[in-house]
DNA sequence: CCTACACATGAACAACTGTTCATACATTCA
DNA sequence: TGAATGTATGAACAGTTGTTCATGTGTAGG
């Protein structure tokens, strides 16, 4: 497993996506299970626009994925790594 | 383990520190073991000032720690969590 | 002391980021 | 088709971030 400079760049980009309060709240909210945008807006108490913008960033980074059901779009964490990274970070917080 | 809003904020702040190429390179470089600033400057091929500025951020976030030996200051990862978080992130990259 | 070396730090500036506001797109139902 | 609901998106703007440049601090040796 040879790590090249590009991997380190990508890694920084990944953590950059985790490094925002709004996006972290979205990820935390989705650990419970999938939620649509309206649910998330209520959960975070933020504007629908702000949440949608951040969902797009999370989706582009392949951290969440969306599934349409009628008018609503339900988002969920894309894979188990997302939760794992979240939890590893949390460990560092609570043991600090 | 009740997670409150402040924890999520701190968590985002933590990932924010990981979310920069220079700092990720420093962390990666320190996985090998402690290094002084001059070593890191050569390793990253960046200005001493830029590296020092980022070291300060990493130190403030308690991700690295410094130990003076004569004129040099040797930096190392502060605890095992740092490496663990780095590696969890890397898993997501290489399986992408 | 004075110089050289190792590192830190403050100011400044360009680049980037996240929110808001307005508007557009998509789907359902009457 | 028209209205209502759910979501996405572009522009714009303030706030933040990382680098550079210049300078300051600390340590060892002569």
């Amino acid at each position: 497993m040879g790590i090249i400079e590009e991997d380190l760049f990508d890694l920084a980009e990944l953590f950059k996506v985790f490094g925002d309060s709004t996006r972290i709240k979205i990820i935390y909210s989705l650990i419970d299970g999938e939620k649509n945008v309206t649910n998330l807006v209520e959960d975070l108490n933020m504007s629908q626009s702000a949440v949608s913008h951040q969902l797009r960033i999370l989706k582009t980074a392949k951290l969440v994925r969306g599934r349409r059901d009628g008018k609503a779009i339900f988002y969920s964490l894309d894979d188990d790594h997302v939760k794992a990274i979240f939890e590893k970070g949390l460990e560092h917080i609570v043991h600090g």
Side-chain angles (χ1 to χ4, degrees), chain A:
Chain A
M1 101 139 157
I3 297 176
I4 61 177
E5 181 139 357
E6 192 188 341
D7 293 326
L8 295 176
F9 179 84
D10 292 342
L11 191 51
E13 290 302 303
L14 173 68
F15 285 128
K16 206 169 286 184
V17 180
F18 278 87
D20 173 77
S21 286
T22 300
R23 291 192 292 268
I24 275 288
K25 285 180 195 165
I26 291 175
I27 290 170
Y28 177 61
S29 187
L30 293 181
I31 287 181
D32 287 345
E34 66 174 11
K35 292 189 178 149
N36 65 24
V37 180
T38 302
N39 294 154
L40 289 170
V41 166
E42 290 164 355
D43 230 50
L44 305 197
N45 196 33
M46 292 184 65
S47 77
Q48 177 265 313
S49 180
V51 172
S52 271
H53 275 299
Q54 299 310 324
L55 280 170
R56 195 165 81 81
I57 291 173
L58 287 165
K59 201 169 150 190
T60 301
K62 300 225 188 295
L63 299 191
V64 308
R65 100 192 100 181
R67 152 184 95 75
R68 182 177 280 277
D69 179 20
K71 279 180 289 190
I73 297 184
F74 285 83
Y75 282 91
S76 54
L77 300 185
D78 192 273
D79 64 23
D80 293 339
H81 282 128
V82 181
K83 191 182 176 191
I85 294 168
F86 180 96
E87 284 173 347
K88 271 295 167 199
L90 201 60
E91 276 180 33
H92 188 263
I93 296 296
V94 298
H95 295 50

